[in-house]
Amino acid sequence: MTKKDLTEPRFRQAAEDARTAEAAVHDTPQTQDPAYRLAFGDTDFLLRQELRPVRFQLELLKTEMLLEEAGIGSTLVIYGSARIPSPDKTEGLVEAARTPEEKTVAERLVAKAKYYDEARRLAQLASECGVEEDGKRQFVVCSGGGPSIMEAANRGAADVGMDSVGLNIVLPHEQAPNRYVTPHLSFQFHYFALRKMHFLLRARAVAVFPGGFGTFDEFFELLTLIQTGKMEAIPIMLFGREFWNRVVNFEALAEEGVISPSNLGLFHFVETADEAWEKISTFYELPCD
């Protein structure tokens, strides 16, 4: 008996039966009724409310399995706004403003365009480092897969010929993956919770650029996980001290007693990609600092 005979499955594979069922030419009331469809090939059935736990499992497993097969051991996650323009798209934004309020907003967005370059630079540094451990790549860049800061992150990895991950979410308005995400590492989620879980399952460092509700959601959940001991501490870099101190009074939280003063040490303010990568390299004692 050969090794092949010992290891090959004895049962007919689901894919084979799915092809057989698809090719069937029987046309009877029984075969045409939805009840006759194979359960795993019946989209209407899988989308029923009662099947939500199964869909949770599918969204968890698909991304996990494909990342594992791609040899990705850990990630550098980059969060940030989908609205900050790249430097080459700032021209005319201020002039197009119709009111003083719009002009102020446009000026502030233009001022933040520098973070596009910093996110791109950080992704380049992490990707160029090329850390491998146990045969798997470490610090693979991972973003939300969308535009702006997310695009910059994936673009930085592409600049140096390395793969990067994009975790998109289905939204009422279209959000296609940016063109720099590695195609076989571009994922789409229905559940925010499962998407956020995948952001952190492999994260070994997180860079948080100025952003809105989504960025806040992801950042504060990360802080909560570490604060409560549900997750080990990792380097967390907040880009733009002026922005963050303006929109969140971290010191006041400690002064009010709702967080411990030591919690303010869970993250670091940085201004440049080189500064952020230095903190990551020092934390992990990486050879490429």
Side-chain angles (χ1 to χ4, degrees):
M1 186 174 287
T2 67
K3 184 176 180 181
K4 180 179 180 182
D5 292 328
L6 288 170
T7 58
E8 284 198 344
R10 288 293 184 258
F11 288 98
R12 183 174 166 87
Q13 298 297 290
E16 294 179 86
D17 273 354
R19 288 191 291 269
T20 299
E22 183 71 22
V25 294
H26 305 296
D27 188 7
T28 69
Q30 291 77 20
T31 61
Q32 292 304 308
D33 194 275
Y36 192 71
R37 298 173 191 161
L38 286 169
F40 54 79
D42 187 345
T43 302
D44 291 334
F45 174 68
L46 291 174
L47 293 178
R48 287 176 58 159
Q49 185 171 335
E50 299 91 333
L51 272 291
R52 181 175 292 152
V54 175
R55 295 195 297 273
F56 275 14
Q57 186 175 24
L58 289 173
E59 285 213 338
L60 178 64
L61 280 174
K62 181 179 179 180
T63 304
E64 173 63 25
M65 291 169 66
L66 293 182
L67 290 177
E68 182 70 21
E69 290 170 4
I72 295 177
S74 69
T75 56
L76 164 62
V77 175
I78 298 180
Y79 294 140
S81 174
R83 303 187 182 195
I84 294 174
S86 59
D88 62 345
K89 294 182 180 178
T90 58
E91 186 176 351
L93 285 181
V94 176
E95 292 74 14
R98 295 167 295 179
T99 66
E101 292 77 14
E102 287 183 359
K103 182 179 180 182
T104 298
V105 169
E107 289 172 342
R108 288 175 176 167
L109 284 174
V110 168
K112 292 182 185 66
K114 63 182 180 182
Y115 292 120
Y116 183 99
D117 284 341
E118 294 302 333
R120 184 176 177 181
R121 168 67 175 159
L122 179 59
Q124 291 170 353
L125 290 170
S127 300
E128 283 180 322
C129 189
V131 179
E132 286 201 16
E133 189 175 292
D134 298 328
K136 296 182 178 180
R137 290 170 292 160
Q138 310 298 322
F139 300 101
V140 175
V141 171
C142 175
S143 85
S148 190
I149 296 298
M150 296 173 278
E151 175 190 280
N154 298 113
R155 184 176 183 180
D159 287 339
V160 295
M162 298 300 288
D163 290 344
S164 66
V165 180
L167 306 180
N168 273 79
I169 187 81
V170 178
L171 299 173
H173 53 278
E174 181 181 1
Q175 179 181 290
N178 69 69
R179 62 192 178 99
Y180 300 104
V181 180
T182 301
H184 70 275
L185 299 177
S186 182
F187 304 98
Q188 184 172 215
F189 290 84
H190 169 63
Y191 297 107
F192 266 107
L194 272 298
R195 179 180 182 242
K196 288 194 293 182
M197 192 170 186
H198 274 296
F199 271 130
L200 299 182
L201 279 175
R202 282 177 167 75
R204 293 298 175 268
V206 175
V208 189
F209 287 82
F213 290 156
T215 301
F216 275 51
D217 178 36
E218 293 151 353
F219 170 50
F220 279 102
E221 179 162 324
L222 170 59
L223 289 182
T224 302
L225 288 169
I226 296 175
Q227 180 202 46
T228 57
K230 298 291 285 184
M231 179 178 174
E232 291 185 10
I234 60 175
I236 304 172
M237 282 71 60
L238 288 189
F239 276 76
R241 179 188 292 268
E242 182 180 354
F243 169 83
W244 287 106
N245 280 336
R246 181 171 184 268
V247 298
V248 182
N249 193 333
F250 294 105
E251 296 288 344
L253 291 173
E255 291 168 1
E256 291 291 331
V258 293
I259 65 169
S260 168
S262 64
N263 294 153
L264 299 176
L266 295 177
F267 52 85
H268 307 279
F269 291 110
V270 297
E271 300 299 328
T272 67
D274 291 275
E275 186 182 357
W277 185 246
E278 181 181 4
K279 291 188 179 298
I280 296 171
S281 299
T282 299
F283 187 91
Y284 289 106
E285 299 181 351
L286 297 178
C288 41
D289 53 14

